[in-house]
Amino acid sequence: LTKIKGLAVFASDNISSSAYATEEIMRVLVLASVGALALTMPLTLTMPLTLAIVAMLAIVVTSYQQTIRAYPSGGGSYIVASDNLGVLPGLIAGSALLIDYVLTVAVSISAGIAAITSAFPVLYPERVLLAVGAIVILTLGNLRGIRESGTMFAAPCYIYLFAIFGLLAFGLFRWATGTFLPYTPPEGEFHGAGQALTLFLILRAFSSGSVALTGTEAVSNGIPAFKPPESRNAGIVLILMGTFFGSIFLGMSFLANQIGIVPDPTEVETVVSQLARTVVGTGWYYYLVQFSTTLLLILAANTSFADFPRLASIMAKDGYLPRHFSFRGERLAFTSGIGVLAALAIFLVIIFQGSVTNLIPLYTVGVFVAFTLSQSGMVRRSWRLRPPRWRVSMTINAIGATATGVVAVVVGVTKFALGAWMVLVLMPMIVFVLLGIRRHYGRAQRELAVSDEEMFTRPDLNPEQLHHVIIIPLADLNRAALRAVAYAQSLTGQSAHPDEEGRARIVAVHVTDDIHDGEALKERWVRAGVEVDLVILESPYRTLVSPLLRYLDALERQQPDATVHVTVLLPEYLPAHWWEHLLHTQTALQLKGALLFRPRTAVTSVPYHLRD
């Protein structure tokens, strides 16, 4: 990716946060109001909190500049924490990021749909359906590969920047000249309004606005996706991202305060929509702002579609996630990661009914946990390796780790009862699962490993000590059964009985609930001259699977000194049309399922296709 495409792919998440960060601060501060006339005082705190968040953003951007230089192959929190702090901190950072990427998709998509329903309120009841459709479209776009995605996402990003900077410039002109259009606050009351303006409420507003820092790490995660020199291009994109976002965030908070904008209690219209309507009216430029905001917010989720699969592939290669997460599809996209991310995001959108305000409390805590672990890892790296200018780098990262750690605590405490507890509970659960996956892979690898000496000392590895039995379950003497018998004889090169060393045998098995029918089948079998033994198993309870399994166990007990391997050949006739499968009992399918987990048992279908 070039710097232009890289900004669109990796910075859109952070830049798009400006569309709802101011509103989330105001939604908390407005709770300190008693009535419409008392809104002014608490909402004046929006600007100081905005400045504090922008200062925090500057600290984080500066800290991640050190990470980009230290990890030119990609330095996400998982890699940095694992390399410098150990396995457990790395897994905590990785689980926090995986949760954050899922929430990024859900929040960005929901906010994008909120922007379009603000312009067209008639669509508000369909917001969940629209959000799910947007995720599906975005998933299909990412499955085509990152190069196509970068091209597709570049235009909306720059259209948004053009539209929003134009809106802010015209808004500042109207503020300077005192020519704002008349503003009518939305009707309705806020649930929980009338609280005291305490330090706790102010910190809660700060933690809500801190959602603006999400997506900052995306650039350091995606360094390998840039054109050479990768680190330099990624560093430039990171600075541009912080500059664009900080300017838009400050401008929106300032104008919203000057106009006296109040968030809509019903969430039908966003603060950005109210701001645009008051600055430029409801003409074409208003719709340009809304549509570009919608597109950017929807496509900002591409940051997660780029980074979630990449992080999942790294963790899969380390053995902490299923290995198929590390495989690329035909378009060189991590198909499994993209699919899982989309499914989880759709689930969240449906559960929370596409409400940004309801999703925000879950969103920020994981981000700052990952930030803190990453910057702490960089401090330890500087102290351990002592590269050039290590004292400066260590100081910068120590300041970043301290600042983000404090914010993580603030977010966890102030948002705990509102939903942050879910993330705080989910992170250790994910870490436990990741460790379990790693233990499974390690145990499987140890059990599968074989030395040269074991080849002829272990009975299950020595072909001279294996006893092979081919079992053919059959319902009747017909063409399908005879084809299975012929197939078995072709495999062994002999007919009914074991070879001279007693290691191979073919047995046909018929399970019946009527012993007379079984005897009749045996008579036909002998008259037909089939050179394979036929065993009749009586099943008084009309079950098929249990008697067959008991018979296989009995065969193994007959050879206590040998390792018995069983191959079950299933005569299976296939109808000519798909709908004709519904007319048959699917007995072969039942047997396959029952034998799937049986040790030393192979199952093979011998199909007989019925003619059309």
Side-chain angles (χ1 to χ4, degrees), residues 109 133-143 153 298-299 301-302 305:
I109 295 293
I135 294 175
V136 171
I137 293 173
L138 193 59
T139 303
L140 295 177
N142 275 273
L143 288 174
F153 300 150
I298 291 176
L299 300 181
N302 179 67
F305 277 99

Side-chain angles (χ1 to χ4, degrees), residues 28-33 38-46 197 201 257:
V28 177
L29 292 176
V30 79
L31 297 179
S33 62
L39 285 171
T40 306
M41 195 277 286
L43 289 180
T44 54
L45 292 173
T46 302
L197 187 61
L201 193 68
N257 269 272

Side-chain angles (χ1 to χ4, degrees), residues 218-292:
V219 179
S220 66
N221 266 340
I223 298 173
F226 286 92
K227 288 186 174 180
E230 292 88 346
S231 295
R232 182 175 180 275
N233 290 334
I236 292 173
V237 166
L238 184 63
I239 294 173
L240 289 174
M241 178 190 72
T243 303
F244 286 150
F245 169 77
S247 302
I248 296 171
F249 190 26
L250 288 169
M252 284 192 174
S253 295
F254 177 77
L255 290 178
N257 269 272
Q258 297 304 312
I259 296 171
I261 289 178
V262 178
D264 187 349
T266 63
E267 297 187 46
V268 173
E269 186 175 16
T270 63
V271 165
V272 174
S273 175
Q274 295 183 60
L275 177 63
R277 182 164 45 82
T278 309
V279 172
V280 298
T282 55
W284 68 272
Y285 200 87
Y286 166 81
Y287 288 103
L288 175 64
V289 170
Q290 292 305 107
F291 277 115
S292 63

Side-chain angles (χ1 to χ4, degrees), residues 293-541:
T293 302
T294 297
L295 281 177
L296 181 70
L297 280 164
I298 291 176
L299 300 181
N302 179 67
T303 302
S304 290
F305 277 99
D307 282 340
F308 181 98
R310 185 178 291 113
L311 174 60
S313 73
I314 294 171
M315 298 180 75
K317 289 176 182 176
D318 291 343
Y320 293 108
L321 280 177
R323 286 175 181 156
H324 50 259
F325 281 96
S326 64
F327 300 144
R328 293 180 182 266
E330 295 179 357
R331 304 291 298 195
L332 298 183
F334 294 108
T335 308
S336 297
I338 292 173
V340 169
L341 174 63
L344 293 174
I346 289 173
F347 173 76
L348 284 178
V349 166
I350 294 174
I351 292 296
F352 289 92
Q353 289 296 291
S355 171
V356 177
T357 301
N358 291 337
L359 285 165
I360 288 296
L362 285 69
Y363 194 18
T364 318
V365 60
V367 179
F368 283 96
V369 169
F371 283 168
T372 304
L373 290 171
S374 175
Q375 298 312 304
S376 299
M378 287 298 298
V379 171
R380 185 147 194 272
R381 182 183 186 277
S382 298
W383 177 260
R384 180 167 50 88
L385 300 180
R386 309 209 173 182
R389 301 179 68 250
W390 67 273
R391 288 185 176 86
V392 175
S393 297
M394 188 173 71
T395 302
I396 293 173
N397 291 128
I399 294 173
T402 303
T404 55
V406 170
V407 175
V409 174
V410 169
V411 172
V413 172
T414 59
K415 296 287 188 181
F416 184 83
L418 299 175
W421 66 269
M422 299 183 199
V423 178
L424 293 173
V425 169
L426 193 58
M427 278 195 294
M429 291 175 61
I430 293 177
V431 170
F432 179 78
V433 171
L434 297 178
L435 290 172
I437 292 173
R438 178 62 182 265
R439 281 195 299 271
H440 165 76
Y441 281 134
R443 186 168 58 249
Q445 186 175 11
R446 289 191 300 272
E447 189 168 338
L448 291 172
V450 59
S451 65
D452 295 339
E453 293 77 11
E454 287 181 307
M455 287 299 297
F456 296 100
T457 58
R458 290 184 55 170
D460 59 331
L461 299 180
N462 190 344
E464 298 298 326
Q465 300 183 38
L466 295 183
H467 185 83
H468 190 199
V469 180
I470 298 179
I471 302 297
I472 307 175
L474 52 87
D476 197 2
L477 178 57
N478 52 35
R479 292 180 184 272
L482 292 178
R483 176 172 291 185
V485 169
Y487 182 78
Q489 291 174 330
S490 70
L491 291 178
T492 61
Q494 47 93 29
S495 57
H497 305 291
D499 59 21
E500 64 273 9
E501 298 181 6
R503 291 196 307 273
R505 185 182 181 190
I506 304 173
V507 180
V509 178
H510 174 70
V511 181
T512 181
D513 59 352
D514 188 333
I515 193 63
H516 298 293
D517 290 344
E519 292 298 331
L521 173 63
K522 196 159 191 175
E523 291 178 6
R524 289 183 59 206
W525 190 267
V526 173
R527 287 199 309 270
V530 183
E531 296 181 344
V532 168
D533 292 340
L534 174 64
V535 174
I536 305 297
L537 301 179
E538 187 177 3
S539 176
Y541 300 106

